[in-house]
Amino acid sequence: MPVLDAENLVKLYPVRTGGLFGGRKALLRAVDGVTLSIERGETLGLVGESGSGKSTVGMLCLGLLEKTSGTIRFLDRPIEDYTGDDARIFRRKAQIVFQNPFASLNPRMIIRDIIGRVLEIHGLAHGRDIGARVGALMREVGLREDQMTRYPHEFSGGQRQRIAIARALASDPELVVLDEPTSALDVSVQAQILNLLQDIQAARGLAYLFISHNLAVIRHASTRAAVMYLGRLVETARKEAIFARPLHPYTQALLSSVPKPFVTDERMEKKIIAGDIPSPLTPPPGCRFHTRCRYSEDRCTKEEPQWREVEPGHFAACHRIGEIEESRTTNPYPEGG
């Protein structure tokens, strides 16, 4: 049974275009038909450019945004059924770690109160027990127990993110949405946080939805990877398959854009993505990637590609899969390594 199962998820925002006075109403398609599932102990890496809808998917799965249509099941139960007292169960079991540790912690509260408040709300500890539980959580994320009386400004960025992780763990969750949890940190600290998250997952059996634009991070952190473009998934598979044999031109281009500091062969072809991601207000007809795809042909501009299983467990949506000659030299991670 998946911890999280979302099917045909859609999020539309009504907006008015044409200036302050008048204009016409339009729909911004932030998420448009996304289907995904996450098993216990698994990390699904959701990757794509800024504006592709990744964070919106995370917010929808946590019920922090109201979906326009589709279904979201948490622990085999629609999230709409978590009402009344059950709503607290859902909030306890589904947590999030935000991108910016400098903005996600209350600067006026000491760490004991930031983490301890979660324990109080969910009735997991009271009185003196709170201090002991907070101390244990701080040790679990690699901080000292005597640091709980400090304020957030007394910690580095990496330490603050450890505090945010401890706060998410305080409610003993089943699912944690990690929304770009390392992008605001130095590269050396990123690896430490990623390793910490993996250790915690192994110990607790958590399910992670790991949102990132960084393919190197997704490669390190995920079990499966899902590539998102302009509100839709274009490819998903186990991590090894995505990095060893990317099928969709967008995935290939993303992999090609990863810096390769140890490669000096100037003859290596790079599949550069031309232009910027289109507006979700007016997505292109047919394949949404055709305006930037080097392999685009006439049918790509008119017909929407079907989502299909090309190999066992490897899904993609492209008219020309099988026709496109793949170049392994553009893959910075040969054989999924």
Side-chain angles (χ1 to χ4, degrees), residues 307-323:
W307 185 254
R308 59 193 176 99
E309 189 173 19
V310 183
E311 300 170 343
H314 196 157
F315 296 82
C318 176
H319 290 302
R320 302 197 61 190
I321 290 176
E323 302 175 31

Side-chain angles (χ1 to χ4, degrees), residues 18 30 105 120 143 170 176 184 197 257 264 276:
L105 302 177
E120 289 180 331
L143 297 173
V176 180
L197 289 169
S257 68
T264 58
D276 296 322

Side-chain angles (χ1 to χ4, degrees), residues 4-181:
L4 179 73
D5 190 9
E7 184 175 354
N8 200 25
L9 203 54
V10 174
K11 178 59 179 178
L12 307 178
Y13 290 99
V15 297
R16 185 176 292 276
T17 62
L20 296 176
F21 306 101
R24 64 181 181 85
K25 293 182 179 179
L27 290 175
L28 188 152
R29 310 187 76 86
V31 176
D32 195 7
V34 168
T35 296
L36 55 84
S37 65
I38 311 174
E39 301 285 344
R40 195 178 309 275
E42 180 185 45
T43 299
L44 176 64
L46 189 58
V47 63
E49 294 173 278
S50 297
S52 60
K54 308 183 302 297
S55 293
T56 303
V57 169
M59 296 296 182
L60 290 171
C61 291
L62 291 175
L64 298 178
L65 289 175
E66 185 178 353
K67 59 185 173 60
T68 302
S69 63
T71 60
I72 305 171
R73 300 182 69 86
F74 179 72
L75 298 178
D76 203 30
R77 184 178 175 185
I79 63 170
E80 295 86 353
D81 289 357
Y82 289 93
T83 59
D85 292 339
D86 287 348
R88 182 167 293 181
I89 297 175
F90 176 64
R91 292 297 171 211
R92 174 186 169 187
K93 292 297 182 179
Q95 289 290 321
I96 186 169
V97 175
F98 292 101
Q99 175 179 358
N100 188 352
F102 296 92
S104 62
L105 302 177
N106 190 331
R108 298 184 178 183
M109 296 176 67
I110 61 173
I111 305 309
R112 179 191 181 279
D113 295 339
I114 289 174
I115 301 174
R117 182 62 175 155
V118 178
L119 298 169
E120 289 180 331
I121 289 174
H122 294 289
L124 300 175
H126 302 281
R128 294 182 179 179
D129 290 340
I130 291 177
R133 291 287 296 274
V134 171
L137 286 164
M138 294 191 71
R139 291 193 300 271
E140 185 175 3
V141 299
L143 297 173
R144 300 195 314 274
E145 186 174 348
D146 61 9
Q147 292 176 303
M148 73 172 71
T149 56
R150 298 183 183 180
Y151 288 89
H153 73 267
E154 299 180 70
F155 294 88
S156 67
Q159 289 174 322
R160 291 190 195 194
Q161 199 63 298
R162 290 174 186 268
I163 294 166
I165 293 169
R167 178 177 59 184
L169 297 176
S171 63
D172 194 22
E174 300 274 353
L175 169 72
V176 180
V177 174
L178 302 162
D179 190 4
E180 302 266 13

Side-chain angles (χ1 to χ4, degrees), residues 227 233-237 242 245-249 251 305-311 313-319 321:
V227 183
L233 294 182
V234 298
E235 185 170 359
T236 182
I242 286 282
R245 188 168 180 258
L247 298 176
H248 197 281
T251 309
Q306 296 300 308
W307 185 254
R308 59 193 176 99
E309 189 173 19
V310 183
E311 300 170 343
H314 196 157
F315 296 82
C318 176
H319 290 302
I321 290 176

